[in-house]
Amino acid sequence: MLESSRPATQIRNGSGIGFGFGECGSGNSVGYRGNGYNPNFDNADEYPPSRGHVQAPPRRSIDLNALVNKRPRKHYYTHEKQHIYSLILQLNGPGKRLKRGVSSSVAQVAECPRRVVQRIWKEGVKGLGIHAVKCNCFKKCGRKKIKLNIEALEAIPPSERTTLAQVALNMNMSKSTIQRRLKEKEIRRISSELKPALTPQNIKERVVYCLRKRGEWELKPCKSVDKNKSREYLVKYVLPAIKARWPESDRWNTIYIQQDNAKTHIQPNDEVFLREAARGGWDIRMVQQPPNSPDTNINDLGWFASIQSMFQKKMPKTLPEIVQKVEESLAEYEHEKLNRIWLSHQNCMREIIKHKGSIHYDLPHMKKEMLERQGLLPVRLTVDKQIVDDAIEFVNMP
């Protein structure tokens, strides 16, 4: 049922009594035209009512970006509120009533809304002085910390929590929350941090490795089980692939193939390897990485861990599936990530030179992704000449 606040007028006719709206005895009344009048009811007093369309005023557009980027309400500390109160006293004087324009001037100087200035002034007047103006937020305030259920995290199978994105999905939490808990050391990554014991000779070999002059590197995945298989793989697959894909402009420079110190690998002076490597006038040499130094190997430094994370998400069950999923992971791997790992390898070598072969160093954060987006990602890192001279002097010490 609809009701109206307009006065009702009793109308008598031959058939009985009815009720209508309007001025009594006024046949030409135009009806209500006060606040809240809707022009669509301009002809509502007519019967039958007019069907003519009345254009309504346009709706005000709403900027959704402005709503999203709107700053949340700021909480002012005691010293900030007292500073605003002292500014009011300087412009207004000791009176209890704010003068015209004082709140706007103080708000502009303090970079805060006028309502904040007026509220602080009322607090000071009510408390009879600047000491009554203080922050009312005691102890912890604001948004409460989201707790991480450790038992629920442990219940997730290890194969389904290899990355932060997987943990966030299974925990029904945002990835940023998981990242903050990791930074707060509430949880930690389970990884193999190889920090082997180094002999004095190992330390010098690490520095010599980083100081060695080299060109472009081509690394091989090792699938052999003995030296014969390793030699066969190098001669049949690695050397022909290098010669087929190497840039012609860099054809006559020395190429180094690096391998670790596994017992199943061939020696750098292997006769069969040297003969096949030199075939066609190529200068391809084999080098060993320093002992107990996984940080000098790009595979151990980041590539194996990244491929393993992609491989575990595919969850292969049989040996053919394992081979297939490994090849798929290699094909899907982004070359931009390989560029970043190469820069991390150069960064490790620079720190090894700087710390004279020690493994106790912190790898500086280069912000490679940000530099890559800006088109400023370097190809090679530089080392100060003084650091290099000190490292050479350290290597030549008896």
Side-chain angles (χ1 to χ4, degrees):
M1 179 183 293
L2 298 177
E3 296 182 354
S4 174
S5 60
R6 292 169 60 184
T9 304
Q10 186 176 4
I11 302 176
R12 291 182 180 271
N13 52 28
S15 61
I17 301 176
F19 291 90
F21 296 101
E23 298 291 341
C24 182
S26 176
N28 297 325
S29 175
V30 295
Y32 178 74
R33 293 294 188 272
N35 294 333
Y37 167 72
N38 191 335
N40 288 301
F41 294 96
D42 193 19
N43 302 318
D45 292 336
E46 301 177 2
Y47 186 84
S50 174
R51 296 185 179 182
H53 177 70
V54 178
Q55 182 66 33
R59 293 185 178 182
R60 186 182 62 178
S61 60
I62 300 176
D63 188 1
L64 297 179
N65 293 327
L67 295 177
V68 171
N69 298 325
K70 186 177 180 180
R71 293 180 58 187
R73 182 178 177 182
K74 180 181 178 181
H75 293 277
Y76 294 86
Y77 295 101
T78 300
H79 68 278
E80 294 176 329
K81 299 178 74 173
Q82 291 182 353
H83 174 66
I84 295 175
Y85 186 77
S86 62
L87 292 177
I88 298 174
L89 289 178
Q90 293 176 6
L91 298 177
N92 192 73
K96 292 186 178 181
R97 187 173 181 178
L98 279 176
K99 297 179 181 178
R100 184 178 180 86
V102 173
S103 59
S104 299
S105 301
V106 175
Q108 185 177 3
V109 174
E111 296 181 354
C112 66
R114 282 198 310 166
R115 60 175 178 80
V116 174
V117 177
Q118 296 168 358
R119 187 173 64 246
I120 292 174
W121 174 251
K122 290 181 180 179
E123 291 179 6
V125 171
K126 185 177 180 180
L128 302 177
I130 193 172
H131 299 290
V133 180
K134 57 184 178 181
C135 180
N136 296 323
C137 298
F138 297 99
K139 297 182 180 179
K140 295 182 179 180
C141 61
R143 183 180 177 183
K144 301 300 182 289
K145 181 179 180 180
I146 300 176
K147 294 184 178 179
L148 183 65
N149 192 340
I150 302 299
E151 295 180 356
L153 179 61
E154 294 176 348
I156 302 174
S159 60
E160 298 182 7
R161 49 184 166 97
T162 58
T163 62
L164 293 178
Q166 285 184 314
V167 174
L169 179 63
N170 293 320
M171 294 287 292
N172 195 21
M173 302 174 70
S174 65
K175 184 179 176 181
S176 58
T177 301
I178 302 298
Q179 179 66 38
R180 283 193 294 269
R181 300 300 170 266
L182 179 65
K183 189 175 181 180
E184 295 168 358
K185 298 185 179 180
E186 189 172 340
I187 57 177
R188 66 180 181 87
R189 288 187 175 93
I190 301 177
S191 57
S192 176
E193 297 183 359
L194 300 177
K195 295 292 183 181
L198 298 179
T199 64
Q201 183 61 28
N202 293 157
I203 293 176
K204 287 190 176 182
E205 290 180 6
R206 284 166 59 86
V207 179
V208 171
Y209 164 83
C210 297
L211 293 173
R212 183 188 300 133
K213 184 179 180 180
R214 55 174 64 84
E216 301 293 334
W217 286 22
E218 183 74 17
L219 301 181
K220 66 173 186 66
C222 181
K223 302 179 182 178
S224 61
V225 294
D226 56 17
K227 290 186 177 181
N228 293 330
K229 287 293 181 182
S230 177
R231 184 185 299 108
E232 178 183 358
Y233 190 87
L234 286 169
V235 172
K236 287 187 176 181
Y237 301 104
V238 177
L239 290 176
I242 292 175
K243 295 178 180 180
R245 293 175 173 81
W246 203 263
E248 187 65 26
S249 59
D250 201 34
R251 160 82 164 74
W252 306 104
N253 292 331
T254 303
I255 303 172
Y256 293 93
I257 301 177
Q258 178 180 327
Q259 64 179 4
D260 56 23
N261 296 278
K263 294 182 179 179
T264 56
H265 291 173
I266 65 173
Q267 296 297 322
N269 57 355
D270 186 85
E271 295 182 0
V272 177
F273 172 79
L274 293 178
R275 182 174 63 253
E276 295 297 327
R279 190 183 300 274
W282 291 80
D283 185 10
I284 303 177
R285 305 178 187 181
M286 177 74 69
V287 295
Q288 305 282 95
Q289 74 180 48
N292 301 324
S293 302
D295 52 349
T296 59
N297 189 327
I298 187 176
N299 294 332
D300 295 330
L301 194 60
W303 192 60
F304 280 164
S306 185
I307 289 293
Q308 184 180 10
S309 175
M310 298 173 61
F311 169 76
Q312 289 177 346
K313 292 180 181 179
K314 300 179 182 294
M315 298 298 295
K317 299 296 188 299
T318 62
L319 184 59
E321 289 183 359
I322 292 176
V323 175
Q324 178 186 357
K325 300 305 179 182
V326 169
E327 292 178 350
E328 290 179 359
S329 300
L330 294 174
E332 296 171 1
Y333 198 77
E334 301 176 5
H335 67 276
E336 292 85 359
K337 293 183 178 179
L338 277 177
N339 294 338
R340 299 173 203 155
I341 297 177
W342 276 109
L343 283 177
S344 298
H345 178 256
Q346 296 181 39
N347 206 2
C348 286
M349 291 196 296
R350 183 166 61 180
E351 294 300 315
I352 291 174
I353 295 174
K354 186 184 299 183
H355 292 81
K356 296 182 175 59
S358 175
I359 60 176
H360 302 289
Y361 61 84
D362 295 327
L363 198 62
H365 186 48
M366 295 178 56
K367 301 181 179 179
K368 293 186 284 291
E369 294 186 14
M370 182 190 71
L371 294 176
E372 188 175 24
R373 289 193 299 267
Q374 297 175 352
L376 302 175
L377 189 67
V379 178
R380 294 181 179 86
L381 301 182
T382 59
V383 186
D384 293 339
K385 183 178 182 302
Q386 185 61 42
I387 295 178
V388 175
D389 293 341
D390 294 341
I392 295 176
E393 182 179 355
F394 169 76
V395 171
N396 293 332
M397 289 175 58

